[in-house]
Amino acid sequence: MPTILITGANGQLGQELSSILTENDVWQVDLTDKEELDITNHLAVSSYFAELDDLRYVINCAAYTAVDKAEEDVELAHSINMNGAQNLARSAKEAGAQMIQISTDYVYHSEQNLPFKEGDETNPKSVYASTKLAGDNYVQRAHPMAMIIRTSWVYSSFGNNFVKTMLRLGRERDSLGIVFDQIGTPTYARDLAKVIIEIINKVENGDVPREKMAGIFHFSNEGVTSWYDFALAIFEKEKIACNVSPIETKDYPTPAKRPPFSVLNKSKIKNTFGVDIRHWRSSLDDCLRLLRL
Ligand SMILES: NC(=O)c1ccc[n+]([C@@H]2O[C@H](COP(=O)([O-])OP(=O)(O)OC[C@H]3O[C@@H](n4cnc5c(N)ncnc54)[C@H](OP(=O)(O)O)[C@@H]3O)[C@@H](O)[C@H]2O)c1
Protein backbone atom coordinates (compact mmCIF):
# COMPACT_ATOMS: atom_id res chain seq x y z
CA MET A 1 0.00 0.00 0.00
CA PRO A 2 1.31 3.52 -0.76
CA THR A 3 2.04 5.73 2.23
CA ILE A 4 0.65 9.10 3.31
CA LEU A 5 2.79 10.75 5.96
CA ILE A 6 1.05 13.23 8.25
CA THR A 7 3.11 15.52 10.45
CA GLY A 8 1.59 17.44 13.38
CA ALA A 9 -0.96 14.60 13.62
CA ASN A 10 -2.03 15.60 17.15
CA GLY A 11 -3.17 19.06 16.04
CA GLN A 12 -6.66 20.06 14.86
CA LEU A 13 -6.19 19.30 11.16
CA GLY A 14 -3.89 16.37 11.87
CA GLN A 15 -6.52 14.67 14.04
CA GLU A 16 -9.28 15.28 11.50
CA LEU A 17 -7.15 13.75 8.74
CA SER A 18 -6.23 10.83 10.99
CA SER A 19 -9.82 10.13 11.95
CA ILE A 20 -10.89 10.02 8.28
CA LEU A 21 -7.86 8.20 6.87
CA THR A 22 -7.33 5.50 9.47
CA GLU A 23 -10.61 3.83 8.39
CA ASN A 24 -9.36 3.35 4.82
CA ASP A 25 -7.76 0.29 3.24
CA VAL A 26 -6.09 2.11 0.34
CA TRP A 27 -3.37 3.98 2.18
CA GLN A 28 -0.75 3.18 4.74
CA VAL A 29 -1.17 6.20 6.99
CA ASP A 30 1.87 7.23 8.98
CA LEU A 31 0.84 9.59 11.79
CA THR A 32 3.59 11.58 13.43
CA ASP A 33 3.80 14.48 15.84
CA LYS A 34 6.92 15.97 17.35
CA GLU A 35 7.65 12.92 19.56
CA GLU A 36 7.84 10.62 16.54
CA LEU A 37 9.20 13.12 14.03
CA ASP A 38 10.45 16.55 15.01
CA ILE A 39 10.31 18.33 11.67
CA THR A 40 12.95 20.85 12.75
CA ASN A 41 15.55 18.07 12.92
CA HIS A 42 16.88 17.80 9.39
CA LEU A 43 18.74 14.53 9.97
CA ALA A 44 15.79 12.93 11.75
CA VAL A 45 13.53 13.91 8.86
CA SER A 46 15.78 12.48 6.17
CA SER A 47 16.38 9.22 8.04
CA TYR A 48 12.65 8.88 8.81
CA PHE A 49 11.81 9.30 5.13
CA ALA A 50 14.43 6.71 4.15
CA GLU A 51 12.53 4.09 6.18
CA LEU A 52 9.14 4.70 4.50
CA ASP A 53 7.88 2.40 1.76
CA ASP A 54 6.27 3.88 -1.35
CA LEU A 55 5.82 7.35 0.14
CA ARG A 56 3.27 9.12 -2.08
CA TYR A 57 2.08 12.19 -0.07
CA VAL A 58 3.43 14.28 2.81
CA ILE A 59 0.79 16.46 4.48
CA ASN A 60 2.47 18.95 6.77
CA CYS A 61 0.02 19.89 9.54
CA ALA A 62 2.84 20.65 11.99
CA ALA A 63 3.31 24.30 12.81
CA TYR A 64 3.98 26.83 15.52
CA THR A 65 0.43 28.23 15.74
CA ALA A 66 0.47 30.28 18.98
CA VAL A 67 0.17 33.59 17.11
CA ASP A 68 0.77 35.92 20.08
CA LYS A 69 3.42 33.79 21.78
CA ALA A 70 5.38 33.71 18.51
CA GLU A 71 6.16 37.43 18.92
CA GLU A 72 8.55 36.44 21.74
CA ASP A 73 9.34 32.90 20.73
CA VAL A 74 10.74 34.01 17.38
CA GLU A 75 13.47 31.40 17.07
CA LEU A 76 11.20 28.43 17.64
CA ALA A 77 8.51 29.82 15.32
CA HIS A 78 11.18 30.22 12.60
CA SER A 79 12.55 26.80 13.21
CA ILE A 80 9.17 25.01 12.96
CA ASN A 81 7.36 27.10 10.34
CA MET A 82 10.31 27.73 8.03
CA ASN A 83 13.08 25.17 8.57
CA GLY A 84 10.71 22.35 9.47
CA ALA A 85 8.63 22.92 6.35
CA GLN A 86 11.79 23.12 4.24
CA ASN A 87 13.18 19.88 5.70
CA LEU A 88 9.98 18.07 4.77
CA ALA A 89 9.84 19.58 1.28
CA ARG A 90 13.45 18.58 0.54
CA SER A 91 12.94 15.02 1.74
CA ALA A 92 9.58 14.72 -0.05
CA LYS A 93 11.20 15.89 -3.30
CA GLU A 94 14.04 13.39 -2.87
CA ALA A 95 11.54 10.58 -2.19
CA GLY A 96 9.44 11.55 -5.25
CA ALA A 97 6.46 12.29 -2.97
CA GLN A 98 3.89 15.08 -3.33
CA MET A 99 4.17 17.65 -0.55
CA ILE A 100 1.04 19.38 0.79
CA GLN A 101 1.91 22.34 3.00
CA ILE A 102 -0.74 24.10 5.08
CA SER A 103 -0.46 27.86 5.38
CA THR A 104 -2.43 30.87 6.55
CA ASP A 105 -4.60 33.83 5.56
CA TYR A 106 -2.45 35.97 7.88
CA VAL A 107 0.17 36.31 5.10
CA TYR A 108 -2.23 38.89 3.60
CA HIS A 109 -2.64 42.22 5.33
CA SER A 110 -3.86 45.27 3.46
CA GLU A 111 -6.69 47.77 3.17
CA GLN A 112 -8.25 45.52 0.52
CA ASN A 113 -11.87 44.50 1.06
CA LEU A 114 -12.27 41.98 -1.76
CA PRO A 115 -11.47 38.30 -1.09
CA PHE A 116 -7.76 37.59 -1.57
CA LYS A 117 -6.66 35.61 -4.62
CA GLU A 118 -3.59 33.39 -4.66
CA GLY A 119 -1.53 35.91 -6.67
CA ASP A 120 -2.31 38.87 -4.41
CA GLU A 121 0.50 40.68 -2.68
CA THR A 122 1.49 39.28 0.70
CA ASN A 123 2.30 41.54 3.62
CA PRO A 124 2.76 39.61 6.86
CA LYS A 125 2.63 41.77 9.98
CA SER A 126 3.44 39.27 12.72
CA VAL A 127 6.19 36.77 13.47
CA TYR A 128 3.73 33.91 12.93
CA ALA A 129 2.62 35.27 9.54
CA SER A 130 6.18 36.05 8.40
CA THR A 131 7.45 32.61 9.33
CA LYS A 132 4.51 30.93 7.59
CA LEU A 133 5.07 32.98 4.42
CA ALA A 134 8.79 32.19 4.50
CA GLY A 135 7.81 28.53 4.97
CA ASP A 136 5.66 28.69 1.83
CA ASN A 137 8.57 30.17 -0.11
CA TYR A 138 11.10 27.64 1.21
CA VAL A 139 8.76 24.78 0.37
CA GLN A 140 8.20 26.04 -3.18
CA ARG A 141 11.93 26.46 -3.74
CA ALA A 142 12.78 23.00 -2.38
CA HIS A 143 9.85 21.27 -4.10
CA PRO A 144 8.43 23.20 -7.07
CA MET A 145 5.53 20.72 -7.40
CA ALA A 146 4.42 21.29 -3.79
CA MET A 147 0.81 22.21 -3.08
CA ILE A 148 0.35 25.03 -0.57
CA ILE A 149 -3.11 25.47 0.94
CA ARG A 150 -3.71 28.77 2.75
CA THR A 151 -6.61 28.55 5.14
CA SER A 152 -8.20 30.74 7.83
CA TRP A 153 -9.80 30.74 11.29
CA VAL A 154 -9.47 26.96 11.79
CA TYR A 155 -11.60 25.16 14.40
CA SER A 156 -12.46 21.55 15.14
CA SER A 157 -13.90 19.33 17.83
CA PHE A 158 -10.22 18.46 18.47
CA GLY A 159 -7.71 20.81 20.09
CA ASN A 160 -8.13 24.38 21.26
CA ASN A 161 -9.85 26.98 19.15
CA PHE A 162 -12.25 29.95 19.12
CA VAL A 163 -15.40 27.80 19.10
CA LYS A 164 -14.36 25.85 22.19
CA THR A 165 -13.16 29.00 23.97
CA MET A 166 -16.50 30.74 23.27
CA LEU A 167 -18.48 27.73 24.55
CA ARG A 168 -16.48 27.81 27.77
CA LEU A 169 -16.51 31.59 28.29
CA GLY A 170 -20.16 31.91 27.25
CA ARG A 171 -21.17 29.47 29.97
CA GLU A 172 -18.93 31.08 32.60
CA ARG A 173 -19.74 34.75 32.00
CA ASP A 174 -22.83 36.94 31.64
CA SER A 175 -21.29 39.18 29.00
CA LEU A 176 -18.36 39.28 26.60
CA GLY A 177 -16.84 41.84 24.23
CA ILE A 178 -15.69 40.33 20.92
CA VAL A 179 -13.95 42.18 18.07
CA PHE A 180 -16.15 43.03 15.13
CA ASP A 181 -13.58 44.79 12.91
CA GLN A 182 -11.68 41.67 11.87
CA ILE A 183 -13.46 40.05 8.96
CA GLY A 184 -12.77 36.57 7.64
CA THR A 185 -14.19 33.09 7.19
CA PRO A 186 -14.08 30.19 9.64
CA THR A 187 -12.76 26.84 8.43
CA TYR A 188 -13.97 23.58 9.92
CA ALA A 189 -10.77 21.50 9.94
CA ARG A 190 -12.81 18.40 9.07
CA ASP A 191 -13.98 20.05 5.80
CA LEU A 192 -10.38 20.92 4.93
CA ALA A 193 -9.27 17.36 5.73
CA LYS A 194 -12.03 15.97 3.49
CA VAL A 195 -11.09 18.27 0.63
CA ILE A 196 -7.42 17.29 0.86
CA ILE A 197 -8.39 13.61 0.69
CA GLU A 198 -10.83 14.28 -2.16
CA ILE A 199 -8.08 16.02 -4.15
CA ILE A 200 -5.65 13.15 -3.52
CA ASN A 201 -8.29 10.63 -4.64
CA LYS A 202 -9.05 12.59 -7.80
CA VAL A 203 -5.35 12.76 -8.67
CA GLU A 204 -4.83 9.06 -7.90
CA ASN A 205 -7.86 8.08 -10.03
CA GLY A 206 -6.54 10.16 -12.92
CA ASP A 207 -9.51 12.58 -12.81
CA VAL A 208 -7.12 15.52 -12.37
CA PRO A 209 -3.47 15.54 -13.56
CA ARG A 210 -0.98 15.48 -10.67
CA GLU A 211 0.75 18.64 -12.04
CA LYS A 212 -2.40 20.61 -11.18
CA MET A 213 -1.54 20.25 -7.50
CA ALA A 214 1.50 22.52 -7.85
CA GLY A 215 1.15 26.02 -6.45
CA ILE A 216 -0.83 28.00 -3.93
CA PHE A 217 -4.54 27.39 -3.25
CA HIS A 218 -7.01 28.95 -0.83
CA PHE A 219 -9.48 27.03 1.28
CA SER A 220 -11.96 28.09 3.96
CA ASN A 221 -15.67 27.51 4.31
CA GLU A 222 -17.98 29.76 2.27
CA GLY A 223 -19.37 33.03 3.61
CA VAL A 224 -17.94 35.98 5.48
CA THR A 225 -18.19 36.98 9.13
CA SER A 226 -16.53 38.83 11.99
CA TRP A 227 -15.34 37.24 15.25
CA TYR A 228 -18.28 38.99 16.93
CA ASP A 229 -20.85 37.46 14.55
CA PHE A 230 -19.12 34.10 14.78
CA ALA A 231 -19.43 34.18 18.59
CA LEU A 232 -23.10 35.24 18.31
CA ALA A 233 -23.80 32.31 15.97
CA ILE A 234 -22.19 29.86 18.41
CA PHE A 235 -24.26 31.20 21.31
CA GLU A 236 -27.50 31.25 19.30
CA LYS A 237 -27.03 27.67 18.10
CA GLU A 238 -26.13 26.45 21.61
CA LYS A 239 -28.77 28.63 23.31
CA ILE A 240 -26.14 30.25 25.54
CA ALA A 241 -27.53 33.35 27.21
CA CYS A 242 -24.31 35.35 27.27
CA ASN A 243 -24.62 38.95 26.16
CA VAL A 244 -22.07 39.71 23.40
CA SER A 245 -21.00 43.25 22.54
CA PRO A 246 -19.00 44.23 19.48
CA ILE A 247 -15.65 45.84 20.35
CA GLU A 248 -12.88 47.32 18.23
CA THR A 249 -9.49 45.67 17.80
CA LYS A 250 -7.88 48.73 19.39
CA ASP A 251 -9.82 47.96 22.58
CA TYR A 252 -8.55 44.37 22.63
CA PRO A 253 -4.81 44.78 22.08
CA THR A 254 -2.83 41.61 21.36
CA PRO A 255 0.96 41.18 20.97
CA ALA A 256 0.53 40.05 17.32
CA LYS A 257 -1.31 42.14 14.73
CA ARG A 258 -4.18 40.45 12.90
CA PRO A 259 -5.33 41.40 9.40
CA PRO A 260 -8.53 43.48 9.44
CA PHE A 261 -9.82 41.54 6.43
CA SER A 262 -8.62 38.12 5.35
CA VAL A 263 -11.46 36.56 3.37
CA LEU A 264 -10.02 34.09 0.84
CA ASN A 265 -11.21 33.69 -2.75
CA LYS A 266 -11.55 29.93 -3.31
CA SER A 267 -12.32 29.87 -7.04
CA LYS A 268 -8.96 28.28 -7.90
CA ILE A 269 -9.33 25.19 -5.70
CA LYS A 270 -13.00 24.79 -6.73
CA ASN A 271 -12.31 25.12 -10.45
CA THR A 272 -9.13 23.03 -10.50
CA PHE A 273 -10.41 20.08 -8.49
CA GLY A 274 -14.20 20.37 -8.77
CA VAL A 275 -14.70 20.49 -5.01
CA ASP A 276 -17.81 21.83 -3.28
CA ILE A 277 -17.46 23.99 -0.18
CA ARG A 278 -20.08 24.39 2.53
CA HIS A 279 -21.16 27.62 4.18
CA TRP A 280 -19.47 28.13 7.55
CA ARG A 281 -22.82 28.03 9.40
CA SER A 282 -23.59 24.53 8.16
CA SER A 283 -20.11 23.29 9.12
CA LEU A 284 -20.40 24.95 12.54
CA ASP A 285 -23.62 22.98 13.12
CA ASP A 286 -21.72 19.72 12.52
CA CYS A 287 -18.90 20.61 14.86
CA LEU A 288 -21.28 21.77 17.62
CA ARG A 289 -23.26 18.54 17.26
CA LEU A 290 -20.07 16.55 17.85
CA LEU A 291 -19.10 18.70 20.83
CA ARG A 292 -22.52 18.05 22.41
CA LEU A 293 -21.97 14.27 22.43
N1 LIG B 1 -5.46 27.31 13.81
C1 LIG B 1 -5.80 28.26 12.93
O1 LIG B 1 -6.68 29.10 13.18
C2 LIG B 1 -5.11 28.32 11.59
C3 LIG B 1 -5.48 29.34 10.69
C4 LIG B 1 -4.85 29.38 9.45
C5 LIG B 1 -3.89 28.44 9.12
N2 LIG B 1 -3.55 27.48 10.01
C6 LIG B 1 -2.51 26.51 9.63
O2 LIG B 1 -3.12 25.24 9.53
C7 LIG B 1 -2.17 24.23 9.90
C8 LIG B 1 -2.79 23.31 10.93
O3 LIG B 1 -3.19 24.11 12.04
P1 LIG B 1 -3.81 23.47 13.35
O4 LIG B 1 -4.73 24.48 13.92
O5 LIG B 1 -4.24 22.08 13.08
O6 LIG B 1 -2.49 23.46 14.26
P2 LIG B 1 -2.30 22.86 15.73
O7 LIG B 1 -3.59 22.34 16.25
O8 LIG B 1 -1.55 23.88 16.52
O9 LIG B 1 -1.35 21.61 15.45
C9 LIG B 1 -0.01 21.73 15.12
C10 LIG B 1 0.67 20.45 15.57
O10 LIG B 1 2.05 20.52 15.20
C11 LIG B 1 2.80 20.03 16.29
N3 LIG B 1 4.18 20.47 16.23
C12 LIG B 1 4.72 21.61 16.75
N4 LIG B 1 6.06 21.61 16.54
C13 LIG B 1 6.37 20.46 15.89
C14 LIG B 1 7.58 19.90 15.42
N5 LIG B 1 8.75 20.52 15.61
N6 LIG B 1 7.54 18.70 14.79
C15 LIG B 1 6.35 18.06 14.62
N7 LIG B 1 5.17 18.53 15.05
C16 LIG B 1 5.18 19.74 15.69
C17 LIG B 1 2.07 20.60 17.50
O11 LIG B 1 2.47 19.99 18.69
P3 LIG B 1 2.37 20.88 20.06
O12 LIG B 1 0.97 21.37 20.16
O13 LIG B 1 2.74 19.88 21.11
O14 LIG B 1 3.35 22.00 19.89
C18 LIG B 1 0.62 20.28 17.11
O15 LIG B 1 0.28 18.95 17.45
C19 LIG B 1 -0.93 24.98 10.36
O16 LIG B 1 -0.01 25.03 9.31
C20 LIG B 1 -1.41 26.37 10.67
O17 LIG B 1 -0.40 27.33 10.49
C21 LIG B 1 -4.15 27.39 11.24
Side-chain angles (χ1 to χ4, degrees):
M1 266 195 277
T3 300
I4 298 184
L5 169 66
I6 297 175
T7 58
N10 296 341
Q12 300 190 81
L13 179 61
Q15 290 195 68
E16 296 287 6
L17 280 164
S18 315
S19 81
I20 301 171
L21 278 169
T22 41
E23 298 293 306
N24 90 98
D25 52 7
V26 179
W27 298 98
Q28 176 73 39
V29 184
D30 197 1
L31 303 172
T32 63
D33 207 278
K34 60 179 178 247
E35 290 72 30
E36 298 78 26
L37 178 60
D38 178 351
I39 64 166
T40 64
N41 184 334
H42 161 62
L43 287 176
V45 170
S46 53
S47 52
Y48 196 92
F49 274 56
E51 296 296 313
L52 294 172
D53 277 335
D54 193 9
L55 178 63
R56 202 72 69 82
Y57 292 90
V58 177
I59 310 176
N60 181 24
C61 305
Y64 187 108
T65 58
V67 177
D68 288 318
K69 228 170 123 208
E71 293 297 306
E72 292 202 336
D73 215 356
V74 182
E75 215 171 298
L76 187 59
H78 271 82
S79 167
I80 298 171
N81 293 345
M82 293 163 46
N83 305 336
Q86 183 183 44
N87 291 339
L88 292 171
R90 280 187 178 148
S91 289
K93 172 87 170 40
E94 238 175 73
Q98 175 65 46
M99 167 99 181
I100 301 176
Q101 164 73 6
I102 311 300
S103 186
T104 174
D105 57 330
Y106 282 11
V107 300
Y108 304 108
H109 196 130
S110 72
E111 296 305 311
Q112 178 170 324
N113 57 8
L114 275 180
F116 286 95
K117 293 189 181 155
E118 287 79 355
D120 282 344
E121 199 182 325
T122 51
N123 182 27
K125 295 261 188 181
S126 64
V127 170
Y128 169 73
S130 309
T131 57
K132 289 296 292 182
L133 177 61
D136 295 357
N137 295 335
Y138 277 26
V139 165
Q140 285 198 303
R141 238 172 280 140
H143 194 328
M145 290 302 292
M147 175 178 209
I148 291 168
I149 303 179
R150 291 184 178 150
T151 186
S152 60
W153 297 25
V154 177
Y155 69 94
S156 158
S157 57
F158 300 112
N160 296 317
N161 51 63
F162 183 79
V163 173
K164 289 165 103 177
T165 304
M166 285 304 111
L167 290 174
R168 180 173 52 78
L169 291 179
R171 288 179 178 124
E172 282 170 10
R173 302 200 191 159
D174 297 330
S175 64
L176 280 174
I178 306 287
V179 294
F180 79 108
D181 54 355
Q182 286 171 35
I183 308 298
T185 313
T187 302
Y188 184 24
R190 193 162 189 85
D191 289 355
L192 174 54
K194 283 184 181 164
V195 156
I196 293 172
I197 296 165
E198 186 182 341
I199 290 171
I200 288 176
N201 287 337
K202 286 186 170 166
V203 168
E204 289 299 309
N205 294 338
D207 300 335
V208 182
R210 182 176 303 276
E211 305 77 68
K212 295 272 184 194
M213 290 183 90
I216 297 171
F217 294 85
H218 289 164
F219 182 88
S220 67
N221 282 112
E222 295 288 14
V224 176
T225 190
S226 71
W227 291 111
Y228 162 73
D229 292 282
F230 192 22
L232 267 188
I234 296 164
F235 293 165
E236 274 167 22
K237 285 174 191 290
E238 290 307 286
K239 302 190 172 37
I240 293 173
C242 177
N243 186 37
V244 196
S245 336
I247 60 168
E248 291 183 51
T249 300
K250 71 174 174 43
D251 297 323
Y252 185 75
T254 51
K257 276 193 180 162
R258 268 79 170 165
F261 179 91
S262 66
V263 178
L264 300 173
N265 181 317
K266 298 166 287 285
S267 302
K268 186 178 173 194
I269 202 165
K270 289 191 280 192
N271 295 338
T272 308
F273 301 105
V275 295
D276 289 327
I277 307 182
R278 293 196 290 169
H279 191 273
W280 66 266
R281 284 179 184 276
S282 150
S283 302
L284 177 61
D285 281 339
D286 278 9
C287 182
L288 291 174
R289 207 171 300 123
L290 274 182
L291 289 170
R292 257 176 247 139
L293 294 176

